[in-house]
Amino acid sequence: MSKCLVTGGAGFIGSHVVDILIENGHEVHVVDDLSTGNLDNLNPKAGFFENDIRDVNIWSLLDDDYDYVFHLAALARIQPSIDNPVQSHEVNLNGTLNVLEYCRKSGAKIIFSSSSSIYAGHPLPTGEGATIDPKNPYALQKYICEQYIELYSKLYDLNYTIFRYFNVFGERQITEGAYSAVVGIFLNQKEKGLPLTITNDGEQRRDFTYVKDVAKANLLAMNWPREVYNIGTGESYSINEIADMVGGEKVYIGERIGEARNTLAKWSKAEHAGWKPTVTIKEWVDDFISR
Ligand code: NAD
C-alpha cells in the first residue's frame, strides 16, 4: 500500500483517480479548492484538505511521507485561459511549482496530467515526439510544467511520469459554465431540450478518451518510468458526429480561436507499458442516451 496525494481529487478526472487508487488498497488524501470540483465527487474514504495549491502553507503543513503525488489540480480549459491568462498562469504554473517543491522535499513521485493541446496538430496520428506548438495560454502552461518536471528530474532526481490526455469524457464531467467541455455541454443541452451549440463548422475532429481509462493509466504509472505518454484512442470523431450521437437540433455559434483543427493520438507507447482504452465515446453516449 502506498500513501498518495491527489491534487484536484474532487474534480472530474481526479475523483476517478482517487477511486481507483482506493479500490486498489492505497491511502489517498486530496488537495482541492473546489473552484471547479465538487465534494459530491469525492470518495468518502479519501482524506480531504480544502486548499489552494498556490498557498505555500498547505505544502509546508503536509506530512512528507507521501510516495506519489497525482497532480491534476489546474484551471483546466483552453478558452478561459485565453480570456484570463494571468489567472490560469498563477494556478497552472505557480501552483505546479509548489507541487514540485513539495515532491523535491519529500521524494514523492509526481504523476502529471498534461494535455494533447500542446501539439501542433500534425502529423496525425500524433506521437509523443511530434512538433509542440501551444496555441493558447493553457497549452503553453502545460508544456512549461512538463519542462519544469524534466528539469527537476535532472537537477534533483525527481521521479515522474507525464500524461498527455486527449479529450476526456465520462461520468462527473462538467456540464455547465466555462470549464465544461463538448460532451458534457451537449448532454446538458439535450436534457434541457435546447439546441446543441457547435463552434466553427463542426468538422473539427477530436480523439475522445474515457475517464476511467485515464484513471487506470494513472494507477499503472506508479510503476512506469520517467517518460511522457499519450493517453488517447487513435480514433477521432467530428463535433458534428458527436452532436448526431447525442441527437437533436444543432446551432452554429461561430469561430473559436486558439485550438488545433484535429487531434488524434498515437498511443503505442502507453500500450507497450500495459495500458489500453476500453470504452469508445460512441459506446458511452449510446449507453447514456438509452438509460
Ligand atoms: P476539473 O476542473 O474537473 O478538475 C480540476 C480540479 O482542480 C477541480 O476539482 C478544481 O476544484 C481543482 N482546482 C483548480 N484550481 C485549484 C487550485 N488553485 N487549488 C486547488 N485545487 C484546484 O478538470 P479535469 O477535466 O478533471 O482536469 C484534470 C486535469 O487533467 C487538469 O490538470 C487538466 O488540465 C488535465 N487535462 C484534462 C483534459 C480533459 O479533457 N478533461 C485533457 C487534458 C488534460
Side-chain angles (χ1 to χ4, degrees), residues 8 10-14 32-37 51-54 72-77 91 113-115 138 142 165 167-168 174:
F12 164 43
I13 303 172
D32 197 304
D33 71 351
L34 302 178
S35 51
T36 59
N51 284 91
D52 189 321
I53 56 167
R54 287 170 293 182
L72 295 102
L75 291 179
R77 295 289 175 273
V91 174
S113 291
S114 186
S115 167
Y138 166 75
K142 285 289 179 189
Y165 307 144
N167 290 53
V168 185
I174 299 174

Side-chain angles (χ1 to χ4, degrees), residues 12-14 16 168-171 209-216:
F12 164 43
I13 303 172
H16 289 276
V168 185
F169 69 91
E171 295 80 5
T209 319
Y210 182 47
V211 68
K212 290 189 184 176
D213 290 332
V214 173
K216 180 74 186 293

